[in-house]
Amino acid sequence: MTGEFALIQQYFYPFSEKLGDDCAALEVPPGMRLVTSIDSLVENTHFPPEAPPRELGYRAVVTALSDLAAAGAQPLAFTLALTMPDGDAAWLEPFTGGLREALDTFNVELIGGDTTQGPLTITAAVFGAVPEQQMLQRRGARVGDQIHVSGPMGDAAAALCVMQGRWPGARKHRQYLLDRFYRPTPRLELGRKLLGLASAAIDISDGLLADAGRVGQASGVRLIIDENRVPLSPALRSVTDRDLVRTWALSGGDDYELLFTVAAADAHRVPGQCTCIGEVVAGEEQVTGGGYSHFPP
Ligand code: ADP
Ligand code: MG
């Protein structure tokens, strides 16, 4: 890498006047709590080597914001630790372009980061604010609650098939699926509407069953999902191999929709984009397979 500092100055300083000091200061609105989350995207683990850098930049921001959405938080700031094999302009140009597009779209500022040499790894941290005592958590689901999801399931898993040239559906759906993988929509507005309404929430990154299982475990209950009610996009509905679609929808990760539970009496307050897919019952969650695990047993 030719001159780490020159590179940081060229590619990152234009993002914000807050860059260039050892620390960046954050203002938290009165009556709010600071919440934070961090995630790494590793080449070959989270994205294929041929992934377009612009899409990676975009995705690093929106997947991080999705965690804030799941907490019901409003975004305050973003930081980025970037490890890359070389300081290649042909990569950094589009990557920072995608980063900027996503940050502008959701009105979030890049306030700091770190740049190092090594295997391509993108670590994104977000900071947000949520009214005191109101942060949505995985614990809190109660027996009798309904289970809802914010959008169709399985699109991101199907996108991996598109990338690998194994998509069995109509060609016209390919771009939709790739966009669902690279440009998921963080459900920030929905998350904030769920404050004081949802009893528990999570964003679905590892698969519907796996993440539902986490809510069940954290809450000491079981989440029973009715497969037939799980919403599917027109793209997935066009695939004739129903077992494949079922696997994508139940076990595929990376959809970044919200799953939440809500008391049946409050169901009429759930925003219209959501679909009820099941119910919370008494018992202990059986942790089912299917979700993505970095360290399988
Ligand atoms: P330090 O020596 O304190 O780690 P650096 O030289 O790494 O500082 O970074 C200088 C400034 O540039 C800091 O404000 C840091 O937050 C910022 N910075 C470095 N890399 C990135 C990056 N990938 N994204 C955003 N800001 C960055
Ligand atoms: Mg540094």
Side-chain angles (χ1 to χ4, degrees):
M1 185 180 305
T2 51
E4 171 197 323
F5 186 64
L7 185 153
I8 294 171
Q9 263 191 320
Q10 179 180 350
Y11 289 101
F12 292 108
Y13 277 23
F15 275 90
S16 167
E17 293 187 346
K18 288 195 172 158
L19 299 180
D21 272 305
D22 291 312
C23 289
L26 260 187
E27 210 165 310
V28 183
M32 308 283 268
R33 276 292 152 88
L34 180 68
V35 299
T36 184
S37 167
I38 185 164
D39 276 301
S40 289
L41 300 172
V42 181
E43 185 173 58
N44 289 315
T45 301
H46 299 99
F47 59 88
E50 61 273 16
R54 186 177 178 92
E55 302 304 309
L56 291 179
Y58 191 96
R59 187 164 182 269
V61 173
V62 291
T63 56
L65 291 177
S66 174
D67 282 320
L68 293 182
Q74 66 184 77
L76 292 177
F78 178 80
T79 58
L80 172 77
L82 181 61
T83 302
M84 59 189 158
D86 44 54
D88 186 5
W91 190 89
L92 274 163
E93 254 332 310
F95 175 77
T96 49
L99 208 60
R100 186 180 290 276
E101 186 189 347
L103 291 167
D104 288 350
T105 300
F106 297 97
N107 198 19
V108 186
E109 193 177 15
L110 177 66
I111 61 160
D114 194 31
T115 306
T116 51
Q117 197 264 329
L120 185 58
T121 305
I122 302 157
T123 299
V126 275
F127 302 85
V130 69
E132 266 163 33
Q133 314 286 339
Q134 285 200 46
M135 185 177 82
L136 301 174
Q137 294 179 288
R138 296 175 182 185
R139 66 182 76 130
R142 280 185 287 264
V143 173
D145 285 356
Q146 294 185 353
I147 306 164
H148 289 253
V149 288
S150 60
M153 293 289 110
D155 285 340
L160 291 174
C161 287
V162 174
M163 290 178 217
Q164 293 159 358
R166 311 189 273 111
W167 165 242
R171 291 172 66 89
K172 67 173 180 192
H173 296 301
R174 289 184 307 178
Q175 193 56 49
Y176 163 82
L177 293 170
L178 291 174
D179 282 346
R180 287 276 292 165
F181 179 84
Y182 283 122
R183 294 171 171 253
T185 307
R187 303 294 181 192
L188 289 160
E189 219 171 293
L190 173 64
R192 291 171 72 177
K193 286 185 189 158
L194 294 179
L195 291 174
L197 173 61
S199 51
I202 191 169
D203 71 325
I204 303 172
S205 54
D206 292 335
L208 174 58
L209 294 185
D211 287 320
R214 290 189 179 134
V215 170
Q217 267 200 319
S219 304
V221 293
R222 285 186 70 195
L223 271 63
I224 303 294
I225 289 168
D226 179 354
E227 277 182 44
N228 300 316
R229 292 163 79 181
V230 173
L232 298 175
S233 64
L236 263 60
R237 276 188 266 118
S238 80
V239 172
T240 46
D241 184 344
R242 300 321 290 169
D243 285 339
L244 189 57
V245 171
R246 183 173 178 274
T247 305
W248 287 335
L250 299 181
S251 308
D254 293 320
D255 280 321
Y256 295 98
E257 296 293 346
L258 297 186
L259 176 147
F260 58 95
T261 54
V262 62
D266 291 329
H268 64 282
R269 290 168 56 202
V270 172
Q273 79 196 83
C274 303
T275 308
C276 179
I277 59 164
E279 198 194 348
V280 178
V281 301
E284 206 173 298
E285 196 66 51
Q286 315 288 309
V287 178
T288 49
Y292 189 83
S293 167
H294 286 266
F295 303 102

